[in-house]
Amino acid sequence: MSKIISAHDLQIDLQGANEAGLFKWLLASFLMGKRIQGQIAANAYQVIVEKHHRDTPHKLASCTHRQLVTMLGEAHYVRYDETTSSRLLALANKVNTEYDGKVSNIVAASADRRAFEKRLSEFEGIGPKTIEIFLREAAAVLFESST
């Protein structure tokens, strides 16, 4: 059993439900939600966000499919590199076009946690595992404070 990788492990700050942290954690959760070793997913996150500075929906959406495939390859995230690259671009574009580039707007558009989970599941490539990983840490800053 591999170690569960947390937002803290990736130096992602979720305090105050800040936008930068929420998007980075969504991106990391997306990568870790696939059937791939956690450390490889974490490496992919670090290559995309720390090495190539694609840490916002706008910056990620400005990548080409080929650039993302190359970044995933750098991290040895090669099993699903083509589909993951396409889905990362779709994720960034959907956050940009439907939610004005902000994960917090997905929350604001949702009546409650269940509605938020439904909205996340409408993103291509986001399934129950990715939602579980994301909310394992983000739920506390997104939903508990509002009750």
Side-chain angles (χ1 to χ4, degrees):
M1 186 75 189
S2 61
K3 173 189 177 302
I4 290 177
I5 297 168
S6 69
H8 179 77
D9 293 332
L10 296 173
Q11 295 163 351
I12 298 171
D13 175 17
L14 292 171
Q15 290 309 306
N18 73 87
E19 195 54 48
L22 288 173
F23 181 72
K24 289 176 184 177
W25 183 238
L26 181 60
L27 180 58
S29 300
F30 180 91
L31 292 165
M32 291 187 285
K34 307 294 168 259
R35 294 173 198 255
I36 200 151
Q37 290 177 348
Q39 192 53 57
I40 290 175
N43 292 346
Y45 166 82
Q46 289 167 329
V47 167
I48 293 168
V49 170
E50 293 167 17
K51 185 175 179 189
H52 294 281
H53 311 289
R54 304 301 182 158
D55 57 352
T56 68
H58 291 290
K59 289 178 186 175
L60 188 62
S62 72
C63 289
T64 65
H65 180 266
R66 181 64 30 221
Q67 285 172 318
L68 271 174
V69 168
T70 301
M71 288 179 213
L72 292 169
E74 277 181 60
H76 306 291
Y77 194 111
V78 292
R79 187 168 170 200
Y80 303 108
D81 58 346
E82 292 285 339
T83 54
T84 300
S85 178
S86 297
R87 288 173 172 174
L88 283 170
L89 288 171
L91 171 79
N93 285 316
K94 187 173 173 98
V95 172
N96 285 331
T97 57
E98 295 182 25
Y99 299 102
D100 197 29
K102 294 182 177 181
V103 176
S104 57
N105 286 344
I106 306 172
V107 179
S110 306
D112 55 23
R113 180 177 168 151
R114 176 166 278 141
F116 177 75
E117 289 178 20
K118 183 179 184 318
R119 284 180 186 275
L120 277 187
S121 71
E122 292 166 358
F123 283 81
E124 185 184 345
I126 292 187
K129 190 67 186 170
T130 298
I131 293 169
E132 174 192 320
I133 293 168
F134 180 74
L135 288 176
R136 181 178 71 218
E137 295 185 51
V141 296
L142 296 177
F143 299 106
E144 269 67 75
S145 59
S146 63
T147 52

